[in-house]
Amino acid sequence: MKDGRTTVVPNQPPEDHFESYDVTWAPNGKSLAFVNGDRVFTIAIDGSDLRKLGRGSFPTWAPDSEHVVFASGVYRGPELDIAVIRADGTGVRLLGRGLYPDVSPSGDEVAYSTSTGIFVTPFEGGEPRLVVPNGFGPVWSPDGKFLAFTRYTECGHAACSGRICRAGRGRRASCNRTHDG
């Protein structure tokens, strides 16, 4: 990073096929997950071990660096299946329906957005629970005590404006126009 040189990770899907984006590091620093076209892949940093995990978007790693969570499937309305899969492409299981999943730092829960708000579900599966109405794009704090997210505050003719908000476990979301005390 000091010298500013860049290198391309070898053995990716061909450039003329689809664009790659939504890249995210595995916590152990050895692999990447990314989207190419409408497919989620993992690849080792040296370009070895390219794996297609399935159709989807918004990949994020579990803290164990062995599982990837992403919004899986073909777009069928406002939400996709939230899937957990081993980085080697095996053992897929579904947690709910939504977008923008994020795994808690402890690895025991997954937060994601739906059309009604932000839900949290156990990583191993179970009943999702609504934790923030009318929020989207949840991201866990490093200590796992808070979720940061976006909430629309006004919608006009051309677009909506939003605010970045936070919610703590067992607390109401802090999100107002002037001060988030």
Side-chain angles (χ1 to χ4, degrees):
M1 187 82 128
K2 278 194 253 178
D3 59 15
R5 285 185 282 168
T6 61
T7 58
V8 174
V9 175
N11 302 321
Q12 296 179 52
E15 279 185 70
D16 61 347
H17 187 61
F18 291 107
E19 172 184 329
S20 292
Y21 59 97
D22 270 354
V23 64
T24 181
W25 285 94
N28 66 9
K30 296 178 181 179
S31 299
L32 301 168
F34 64 97
V35 177
N36 181 271
D38 66 351
R39 306 260 193 294
V40 176
F41 290 84
T42 57
I43 192 168
I45 291 303
D46 65 4
S48 65
D49 208 23
L50 177 67
R51 303 276 181 153
K52 183 178 5 175
L53 302 184
R55 285 187 165 180
S57 55
F58 312 113
T60 185
W61 289 88
D64 65 7
S65 296
E66 294 181 14
H67 295 86
V68 177
V69 178
F70 64 101
S72 171
V74 179
Y75 190 73
R76 299 182 316 249
E79 297 158 358
L80 298 172
D81 292 325
I82 301 298
V84 176
I85 191 168
R86 293 188 60 78
D88 67 6
T90 64
V92 68
R93 57 190 158 77
L94 303 180
L95 297 178
R97 288 191 53 79
L99 298 171
Y100 308 110
D102 195 42
V103 183
S104 66
S106 64
D108 61 343
E109 295 181 301
V110 177
Y112 58 91
S113 302
T114 74
S115 58
T116 59
I118 296 170
F119 282 77
V120 171
T121 190
F123 183 82
E124 295 301 325
E127 192 64 34
R129 67 187 190 288
L130 178 67
V131 296
V132 178
N134 304 316
F136 67 94
V139 179
W140 291 97
S141 63
D143 63 7
K145 293 181 180 178
F146 295 92
L147 283 170
F149 59 94
T150 303
R151 178 178 280 160
Y152 289 131
T153 55
E154 282 183 24
C155 287
H157 294 290
C160 293
S161 62
R163 304 288 295 168
I164 296 172
C165 307
R166 70 171 183 222
R169 291 183 184 259
R171 298 181 187 161
R172 288 184 43 192
S174 173
C175 191
N176 62 43
R177 292 179 148 293
T178 57
H179 185 259
D180 285 336

